[in-house]
């Protein structure tokens, strides 16, 4: 199942998905798109977050990413499409990332993925936004 929502709704969804919530709105494979100003149906920049249920580092990064999508400015991420992949739903992903999650990768123009450097859980939302924007500018 794939869900597409605005960044503001995504933040609300993730806030509701905290461990205290008895029902998690996340599915095994979710897609979230930040709010975009263009009329294009295909976002120009794409990220994939490899995660799994019960991973507190993954949940923290998801929250920071969605908060970073809401920030404006020169490093705006409003056109970024974030896909969250549950590694337990795919044996290849689980084998590749089971000891590394959360893993953030950008999708290159040829469709291949490039793993981004790990973001410290101590980074604030503004620094996360700047690091992601810089990584997306790199070829």
């Amino acid at each position: 199942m794939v869900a597409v929502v605005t960044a503001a709704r995504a933040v609300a969804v993730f806030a509701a998905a905290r461990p205290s919530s008895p029902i998690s709105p996340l599915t095994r494979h979710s897609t979230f798109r930040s709010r975009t100003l263009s009329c294009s149906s295909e976002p120009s920049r794409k990220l994939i977050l490899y995660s799994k249920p019960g991973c507190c580092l993954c949940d923290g990064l998801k929250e920071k990413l969605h908060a970073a999508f809401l920030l404006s400015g020169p490093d705006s991420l409003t056109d970024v499409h974030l896909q969250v992949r549950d590694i337990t739903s795919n044996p290849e992903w689980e084998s590749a990332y089971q000891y590394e999650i959360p893993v953030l990768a950008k999708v290159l123009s040829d469709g291949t993925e490039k793993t981004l450097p790990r973001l410290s859980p101590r980074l604030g939302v503004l620094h996360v936004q700047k690091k992601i924007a810089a990584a997306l500018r790199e070829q």
Side-chain angles (χ1 to χ4, degrees), residues 27-63:
T27 60
R28 290 192 169 271
H29 185 83
S30 304
T31 303
F32 297 92
R33 182 175 302 164
S34 63
R35 190 177 316 163
T36 180
L37 299 177
S38 70
C39 296
S40 170
S41 62
E42 195 62 30
S44 60
R45 302 185 294 176
K46 298 176 186 176
L47 292 174
I48 298 171
L49 177 62
Y50 291 94
S51 178
K52 75 175 185 178
C55 171
C56 61
L57 290 174
C58 302
D59 293 341
L61 182 56
K62 284 181 225 175
E63 289 179 13

Side-chain angles (χ1 to χ4, degrees), residues 72-130:
S72 59
D75 294 318
S76 175
L77 302 174
T78 58
D79 66 332
V80 174
H81 176 95
L82 175 65
Q83 184 179 58
V84 178
R85 293 183 176 174
D86 177 357
I87 64 168
T88 63
S89 69
N90 182 311
E92 284 185 35
W93 298 340
E94 190 164 29
S95 172
Y97 303 119
Q98 65 182 330
Y99 301 114
E100 304 296 324
I101 58 170
V103 173
L104 191 60
K106 71 177 178 178
V107 179
L108 304 176
S109 58
D110 63 359
T112 59
E113 298 174 19
K114 178 181 179 190
T115 302
L116 300 180
R118 181 177 291 276
L119 296 170
S120 169
R122 295 176 185 225
L123 285 178
V125 173
L126 185 59
H127 284 105
V128 167
Q129 180 199 39
K130 289 181 181 207

